[in-house]
Amino acid sequence: DTGVSQNPRHKITKRGQNVTFRCDPISEHNRLYWYRQTLGQGPEFLTYFQNEAQLEKSRLLSDRFSAERPKGSFSTLEIQRTEQGDSAMYLCASSLTVGYGYTFGSGTRLTVV
Amino acid sequence: AQTVTQSQPEMSVQEAETVTLSCTYDTSESDYYLFWYKQPPSRQMILVIRQEAYKQQNATENRFSVNFQKAAKSFSLKISDSQLGDAAMYFCAYLVGSQGNLIFGKGTKLSVKP
């Protein structure tokens, strides 16, 4: 287990299509986070899970966004009816406990055309 | 609202020299953590250094050290003996001890000149 894995690395989709991203955290980490990063900006928090429970969601996470973490292992982030404004890097991170920092994945770059 | 401010969008340093990146934050909490993350052009965020707010001693990791001024809510990063591989975006981040999500600043782009 070498780190946080995200797939796909790149996704190009047409406006209005649905997309799903996957994140596999470090196996012993019970906390999993999703962030969005646009060019030249810091990551913005979307949502986080402790085990399978989704404990917090940002107001950035509109009704078109949904995240799941079945069985407290991998997580998926789905965006329905994509818009051009959804184009960004979507980062996943995991951690064992609060306060020890996150381990980030390489991200999924979404381009909506 | 908790915010993190990095007032230097870009910085430049000569190889082998020292550079300091600034960060201020706003919070009413007493239990929190501060971090500096590095994001090279490949875009994977890497944890550089971590500071617990209740510790007065400044954290140090090899060539990286922080100047943590709790009363001033300031958390600067000093990079000594800068190397070409230090060139990256650097993000300051804040985490409240009872919550889960890191709050990031907008970042400082560091260039290292040979």
Side-chain angles (χ1 to χ4, degrees):
Chain A
D1 192 33
T2 57
V4 177
S5 177
Q6 290 189 248
N7 288 288
R9 292 293 304 273
H10 304 275
K11 178 72 177 179
I12 300 174
T13 190
K14 291 183 178 180
R15 188 172 48 189
Q17 297 293 305
N18 299 344
V19 294
T20 300
F21 311 140
R22 177 177 170 128
C23 172
D24 288 90
I26 292 174
S27 57
E28 60 265 30
H29 287 184
N30 60 352
R31 293 171 179 258
L32 184 147
Y33 311 84
W34 285 99
Y35 279 77
R36 182 173 69 187
Q37 186 178 24
T38 53
L39 198 62
Q41 300 294 317
E44 296 174 296
F45 170 74
L46 293 178
T47 188
Y48 101 91
F49 293 83
Q50 183 167 333
N51 299 312
E52 66 274 13
Q54 189 173 17
L55 296 187
E56 190 172 348
K57 292 194 293 186
S58 163
R59 61 177 182 271
L60 291 175
L61 212 66
S62 74
D63 291 345
R64 297 184 298 105
F65 288 70
S66 63
E68 294 182 341
R69 193 184 182 195
K71 302 179 183 178
S73 56
F74 71 92
S75 176
T76 58
L77 177 68
E78 180 183 18
I79 309 174
Q80 296 181 329
R81 305 180 304 280
T82 52
E83 302 172 356
Q84 285 190 321
D86 297 330
S87 295
M89 177 73 83
Y90 289 85
L91 299 171
C92 177
S94 68
S95 71
L96 185 56
T97 60
V98 174
Y100 280 85
Y102 301 174
T103 301
F104 280 86
S106 297
T108 294
R109 177 169 294 285
L110 173 66
T111 303
V112 181
V113 297
Chain B
Q2 295 144 354
T3 58
V4 176
T5 302
Q6 293 180 249
S7 59
Q8 306 152 315
E10 295 189 25
M11 291 283 284
S12 180
V13 63
Q14 204 71 33
E15 194 175 6
E17 298 293 306
T18 296
V19 64
T20 298
L21 308 183
S22 301
C23 173
T24 59
Y25 57 95
D26 186 22
T27 184
S28 57
E29 301 286 340
S30 58
D31 177 24
Y32 55 89
Y33 304 84
L34 295 163
F35 305 85
W36 278 97
Y37 277 86
K38 171 185 178 181
Q39 190 175 41
S42 65
R43 301 191 71 85
Q44 184 165 15
M45 302 274 281
I46 303 166
L47 178 63
V48 174
I49 200 164
R50 165 183 173 271
Q51 175 80 41
E52 295 161 325
Y54 68 86
K55 288 188 175 179
Q56 291 185 333
Q57 186 174 5
N58 289 323
T60 299
E61 289 287 342
N62 301 312
R63 297 183 295 108
F64 299 87
S65 61
V66 298
N67 183 5
F68 174 46
Q69 302 289 327
K70 190 172 184 179
K73 296 180 183 176
S74 171
F75 183 61
S76 61
L77 174 70
K78 186 172 81 172
I79 306 173
S80 304
D81 186 25
S82 297
Q83 300 175 1
L84 295 177
D86 294 334
M89 284 291 290
Y90 285 82
F91 293 97
C92 178
Y94 159 92
L95 175 68
V96 172
S98 60
Q99 298 176 3
N101 53 306
L102 274 173
I103 299 170
F104 286 87
K106 291 189 175 182
T108 296
K109 182 178 181 180
L110 178 66
S111 302
V112 181
K113 297 179 180 178

